[in-house]
Amino acid sequence: MSSYILALDQGTTSCRALIFDKNGKILASAQEEFPQYFPEVGWVEHDPLEIWTTQERMARKAVQDAGLTADQIAAIGITNQRETVVVWDKSTGEPVYPAIVWQDRRTADFCDQLKAEGKAGLIQQKTGLVIDAYFSATKVKWILDNVPGAREKAMAGDLYMGTIDSWLIWKMTGGQKHITDVTNASRTLLYNLTDLGWDADMLTLFDIPSKMLPQVCDSSEVYGHTQADFLGAAVPIAGIAGDQQAALFGQMCTQEGWVKNTYGTGCFMLMNIGDKPILSKNNLLTTIGWKIGDEVSYALEGSIFMAGAIVQWLRDQLEFFGDAQEIEGLASSVESSDGVVLVPAFVGLGAPHWNQQAKGQILGLNRGSHKGHIARAALEAIALQTRDILSAMEADSGVKIKELRVDGGASVNNLLMQIQADVLGVSVVRPKMVETTVSGAAFLAGLAVGYWSNTEEIERIWEKDQTFEANPDRSSMEQLLAQWDRAIETVLFWSKA
Ligand SMILES: Nc1ncnc2c1ncn2[C@@H]1O[C@H](COP(=O)(O)OP(=O)(O)O)[C@@H](O)[C@H]1O
Ligand SMILES: O=P(O)(O)OC[C@H](O)CO
């Protein structure tokens, strides 16, 4: 009887489940969006129980659609939106507050206070991260400080905290396992990047009781089994990675200096930097790519908060088109953006600027500017933000890259990929399988149970779809790059008001 891998991808906007065979081919896939809650300006919340029931339904649907039974699933891999955090009562299983999502800015003032107190150096040295509301620690602190009785319960050891992987595994195992993996732990601001353990100084700084923390595991090992009622029989859970690290693995960027960029809601570029962390001098993050056995691979990361989300904004708020894919035709209707620059700082600016107060701007409009120019400027903004990250990454690592591997929902846009190659002056390579996040989770799980024997076997599965070569004439790019740099300066200046 053939066996398969089930991979779960709990993303920011949807829950997905995919079944993979040994050749990395997808047998079935199920996906459903779940509600987003915006209770106040800058706040973003999810209902952890809605996430759980949606994810459970998708897992069952994928197995059913593939015509499989639970005993044909060799292992389950999990990948998840990162930083988003849940605090729950370990006796009742009830979350004490909604999940606070990575995009949520409610703790921005507290972060500014930490910066003013000069804590940035210590935090970077310990965790590889910058001080920003993006990461989990300040969100957990906020829950403990604001939910009546929560801090007392946490001190008494009655509450658990966890990123979404922890929450799902706790549910899937019927409350037996409270775990996470190194990649998710490395996004909390609480995990020591070199000691590979929860950091006592960070726990004190953020006032978080250690009793709440999950046990940190490798990215590929058998952690435990699902309860039988999840799929009909107990199935090993054997892979966990935050979604961007899973994509780095799914893209098989297993060699030092290899880089991938995922174009989803945001854009996340990661470079494999080998077995030692490099602390960025250019405001990038250092994070754990994965840990398999005793081997740890570190990564430099640049996080862009608005990428595909700009396309959604043009679709939903400005009603430029009805479907995201129509942006390609609209942006191709003009030769250039004709001086129009869109800086999508709708939720502040992420790497390398990390400005929490920045607001979006459209600059350089003239009497002839129309939707086509703005649509093209939107695609250019995705590519130009990526260029700022790559420049910082090359400076930090000393590696000059020749090739960028791409994936994610917006990477299907050929015009965007061509603009990206032109802006960076490097080849942009899109694999046949752009579902690299979820395949990364499948690979990690499959390796743990011997479904695939080693990464070389998986590398043979990775297949190129298309390469976008950069226009060798850089002159037309120079103007665009200079305009962008001036636009960023303007946005940063405006944020001081
Ligand atoms: N053809 C396209 N061109 C540009 N952007 C697109 C296109 N298709 C989808 N998108 C954008 O890609 C994003 C969805 O990609 P996905 O990888 O599913 O994101 P996430 O995992 O962050 O939810 C959306 O923000 C959408 O606007
Ligand atoms: O769910 P995505 O694909 O938007 O990814 C979110 C990131 O993990 C945030 O760090």
Side-chain angles (χ1 to χ4, degrees):
M1 185 171 61
S2 315
S3 63
Y4 302 88
I5 301 289
L6 168 64
L8 309 180
D9 178 7
Q10 202 303 298
T12 310
T13 54
S14 73
C15 295
R16 313 172 65 215
L18 282 84
I19 308 274
F20 289 87
D21 71 8
K22 260 212 159 85
N23 299 316
K25 297 277 175 281
I26 296 170
L27 232 73
S29 126
Q31 176 169 16
E32 198 173 292
E33 294 200 357
F34 59 87
Q36 311 284 314
Y37 300 99
F38 308 104
E40 292 193 28
V41 175
W43 292 27
V44 188
E45 295 178 354
H46 292 157
D47 179 340
L49 293 168
E50 278 173 351
I51 287 185
W52 161 242
T53 51
T54 312
Q55 191 63 70
E56 183 181 43
R57 202 166 43 249
M58 291 309 101
R60 289 176 177 162
K61 184 167 186 313
V63 173
Q64 196 178 10
D65 289 356
L68 303 179
T69 48
D71 53 346
Q72 289 175 277
I73 306 296
I76 299 178
I78 298 174
T79 181
N80 54 288
Q81 55 167 324
R82 306 167 306 164
E83 298 93 16
T84 300
V85 74
V86 186
V87 175
W88 68 96
D89 186 310
K90 69 184 203 196
S91 319
T92 64
E94 286 296 314
V96 302
Y97 191 80
I100 303 187
V101 178
W102 59 276
Q103 295 154 320
D104 190 290
R105 303 269 100 203
R106 79 186 66 187
T107 57
D109 288 346
F110 174 63
C111 290
D112 285 341
Q113 189 188 318
L114 289 176
K115 283 184 203 165
E117 288 168 8
K119 296 285 194 296
L122 176 75
I123 288 179
Q124 188 196 25
Q125 185 226 321
K126 296 251 186 194
T127 68
L129 306 177
V130 301
I131 302 174
D132 195 89
Y134 175 31
F135 305 104
S136 320
T138 62
K139 302 177 195 293
V140 177
K141 178 173 163 39
W142 188 94
I143 292 175
L144 297 184
D145 290 344
N146 289 278
V147 174
R151 185 165 290 285
E152 292 70 29
K153 279 188 170 178
M155 305 272 285
D158 293 339
L159 299 186
Y160 278 156
M161 65 154 272
T163 40
I164 297 292
D165 55 313
S166 292
W167 168 244
L168 291 179
I169 291 171
W170 195 79
K171 295 296 275 182
M172 286 161 73
T173 59
Q176 296 299 307
K177 294 280 169 189
H178 181 220
I179 60 168
T180 187
D181 89 305
V182 286
T183 67
N184 279 291
S186 73
R187 313 299 295 185
T188 57
L189 274 177
L190 301 172
Y191 193 70
N192 191 303
L193 209 60
T194 33
D195 299 352
L196 300 179
W198 297 116
D199 189 281
D201 291 341
M202 292 298 105
L203 290 171
T204 306
L205 182 67
F206 293 104
D207 211 0
I208 294 176
S210 60
K211 291 174 181 163
M212 300 180 73
L213 300 167
Q215 180 198 341
V216 185
C217 302
D218 292 354
S219 318
S220 177
E221 62 174 287
V222 177
Y223 313 101
H225 290 74
T226 60
Q227 279 206 309
D229 67 357
F230 182 61
L231 292 175
V235 177
I237 305 170
I240 315 174
D243 55 10
Q244 303 310 322
Q245 287 94 333
L248 190 69
F249 197 72
Q251 285 275 27
M252 284 287 107
C253 289
T254 47
Q255 318 251 345
E256 212 171 314
W258 288 24
V259 187
K260 72 89 199 177
N261 199 21
T262 300
Y263 300 77
T265 306
C267 236
F268 298 88
M269 187 189 276
L270 271 76
M271 173 189 273
N272 183 331
I273 52 170
D275 60 3
K276 305 233 165 14
I278 297 172
L279 290 189
S280 173
K281 294 188 174 62
N282 295 287
N283 290 324
L284 299 178
L285 309 175
T286 312
T287 200
I288 298 179
W290 51 79
K291 178 170 183 281
I292 303 178
D294 291 334
E295 287 180 23
V296 184
S297 285
Y298 289 90
L300 273 175
E301 171 174 331
S303 325
I304 296 168
F305 295 150
M306 291 282 289
I310 315 168
V311 180
Q312 285 171 320
W313 179 73
L314 292 179
R315 182 192 66 191
D316 302 337
Q317 258 75 25
L318 300 194
E319 298 179 5
F320 274 19
F321 35 77
D323 192 302
Q325 68 184 14
E326 290 170 47
I327 193 170
E328 190 166 351
L330 185 58
S332 303
S333 68
V334 291
E335 287 282 305
S336 77
S337 49
D338 194 24
V340 177
V341 183
L342 191 161
V343 182
F346 294 71
V347 289
L349 282 172
H353 309 289
W354 297 106
N355 186 312
Q356 306 189 98
Q357 318 303 338
K359 299 280 183 299
Q361 290 195 31
I362 300 178
L363 304 94
L365 295 166
N366 66 63
R367 190 65 183 79
S369 302
H370 59 72
K371 285 179 182 178
H373 298 109
I374 295 176
R376 194 166 184 113
L379 296 184
E380 287 171 352
I382 299 174
L384 287 158
Q385 292 182 101
T386 298
R387 168 259 191 178
D388 290 349
I389 304 274
L390 188 63
S391 305
M393 215 167 248
E394 290 185 330
D396 278 333
S397 64
V399 174
K400 191 102 190 86
I401 75 151
K402 294 196 179 65
E403 173 183 305
L404 176 69
R405 292 190 170 185
V406 298
D407 54 72
S411 72
V412 300
N413 185 318
N414 289 337
L415 176 64
L416 171 61
M417 294 301 104
Q418 188 57 53
I419 294 173
Q420 187 66 87
D422 293 342
V423 162
L424 297 179
V426 305
S427 307
V428 167
V429 179
R430 187 173 60 200
K432 280 202 173 132
M433 150 85 88
V434 285
E435 304 286 3
T436 55
T437 299
V438 71
S439 65
F443 295 154
L444 288 167
L447 280 173
V449 296
Y451 189 75
W452 290 289
S453 29
N454 49 42
T455 46
E456 290 71 36
E457 191 182 342
I458 299 172
E459 267 158 25
R460 287 195 286 275
I461 293 174
W462 189 93
E463 267 185 286
K464 181 164 76 182
D465 165 39
Q466 201 171 335
T467 302
F468 298 84
E469 297 295 355
N471 181 350
D473 175 12
R474 304 284 304 147
S475 56
S476 59
M477 273 305 118
E478 298 307 325
Q479 196 188 357
L480 189 68
L481 298 181
Q483 260 176 10
W484 172 255
D485 291 341
R486 283 208 307 283
I488 289 284
E489 276 172 35
T490 309
V491 164
L492 294 176
F493 175 73
W494 181 265
S495 74
K496 292 183 195 141

